[in-house]
Amino acid sequence: MALARGKIIKVGGKEPDEVEMQISQALLDLEVNSDLKASLRELHITAAKEVECSAGKKAIVIFVPVPQMKAFQKIQTRLVRELEKKFSGKHVVFIAQRTILPKPTRKANKLKQKRPRSRTLQAVHNAILDDLVYPAEIVGKRIRIRLDGSRLFKVHLDKTQQTNIEHKIDTFSNVYKKLTGKEVNFEFPEAYL
């Protein structure tokens, strides 16, 4: 168990819970037993949680540090395949652990430096969406505001990846709703010329 702790470094040095320990152990096993050894050696996760999806299914959301996200994405397809085999019947998604800074008020503005664009609510929610659907690419977004004022986001994904991620679309919607509170629909529109 002490070795499994090496794969998870929580913010503030908190103790990892049971789900996080299982995922950490699974990553450690993959590092030891598979050809992903070199890629996984320097990588670690910051948190993990299980999210309820439709029809009683569960998804595992794994949070990784932002600087390591690129490295995780290089091996993500193989890593997801292996982890989904281990945790049978659960979809696995990787998302970078990002921070949202509050909108600066007039009082606080004089004391601190300017808030970076990458820490705004909008930027973080868009980045979560990008991480969620990887390896597919978002090719378009539409926002439909219904008569009652509620919003529906329609996200158009790359048609070339349809066969790979079509079965996960429900999971993506549920995870995004859980993390951001926004409803989102994923579509694969025909390419326009």
Side-chain angles (χ1 to χ4, degrees):
M1 272 301 165
L3 284 172
R5 287 286 310 263
K7 277 287 157 212
I8 181 161
I9 300 173
K10 287 189 72 81
V11 182
K14 295 185 191 111
E15 281 295 310
D17 63 20
E18 195 180 321
V19 175
E20 291 169 339
M21 286 306 280
Q22 285 176 348
I23 287 158
S24 187
Q25 189 60 49
L27 285 171
L28 198 69
D29 294 345
L30 282 176
E31 186 181 332
V32 172
N33 299 330
S34 73
D35 53 342
L36 297 169
K37 185 173 183 137
S39 323
L40 274 173
R41 187 176 292 128
E42 300 88 43
L43 303 178
H44 65 270
I45 64 173
T46 55
K49 64 162 96 168
E50 279 191 332
V51 175
E52 286 287 334
C53 290
S54 56
K57 287 193 81 161
K58 285 188 175 176
I60 298 173
V61 182
I62 301 174
F63 293 95
V64 300
V66 180
Q68 292 185 0
M69 194 61 197
K70 276 267 188 289
F72 266 106
Q73 285 180 342
K74 281 181 186 162
I75 56 169
Q76 185 165 332
T77 40
R78 284 162 64 208
L79 201 55
V80 165
R81 199 178 314 123
E82 294 297 326
L83 288 172
E84 283 178 355
K85 264 189 236 165
K86 251 190 179 70
F87 303 103
S88 56
K90 294 180 182 175
H91 288 154
V92 177
V93 290
F94 285 90
I95 292 176
Q97 180 87 57
R98 293 187 169 81
T99 351
I100 299 173
L101 292 178
K103 200 170 180 181
T105 56
R106 288 173 196 263
K107 272 187 261 176
N109 209 7
K110 295 181 186 78
L111 309 170
K112 294 198 297 273
Q113 60 188 20
K114 196 172 181 294
R115 171 177 70 154
R117 285 269 194 251
S118 64
R119 306 285 194 286
T120 61
L121 181 92
Q122 191 76 34
V124 169
H125 284 187
N126 286 340
I128 287 174
L129 201 56
D130 287 336
D131 293 347
L132 200 59
V133 299
Y134 190 86
E137 241 172 67
I138 295 174
V139 292
K141 291 179 188 167
R142 305 283 181 271
I143 301 174
R144 171 142 190 265
I145 301 176
R146 299 193 190 98
L147 286 171
D148 63 351
S150 60
R151 291 169 172 229
L152 175 69
F153 288 84
K154 288 184 181 174
V155 176
H156 298 174
L157 298 176
D158 193 7
K159 192 97 171 131
T160 56
Q161 292 288 335
Q162 185 169 1
T163 51
N164 299 348
I165 63 165
E166 194 167 27
H167 62 286
K168 288 188 179 182
I169 282 182
D170 276 347
T171 306
F172 291 162
S173 304
N174 287 318
V175 169
Y176 192 70
K177 176 102 169 100
K178 177 86 171 154
L179 293 176
T180 65
K182 293 178 181 173
E183 275 182 50
V184 68
N185 270 5
F186 294 98
E187 298 169 355
F188 295 94
E190 293 296 329
Y192 302 112
L193 292 175

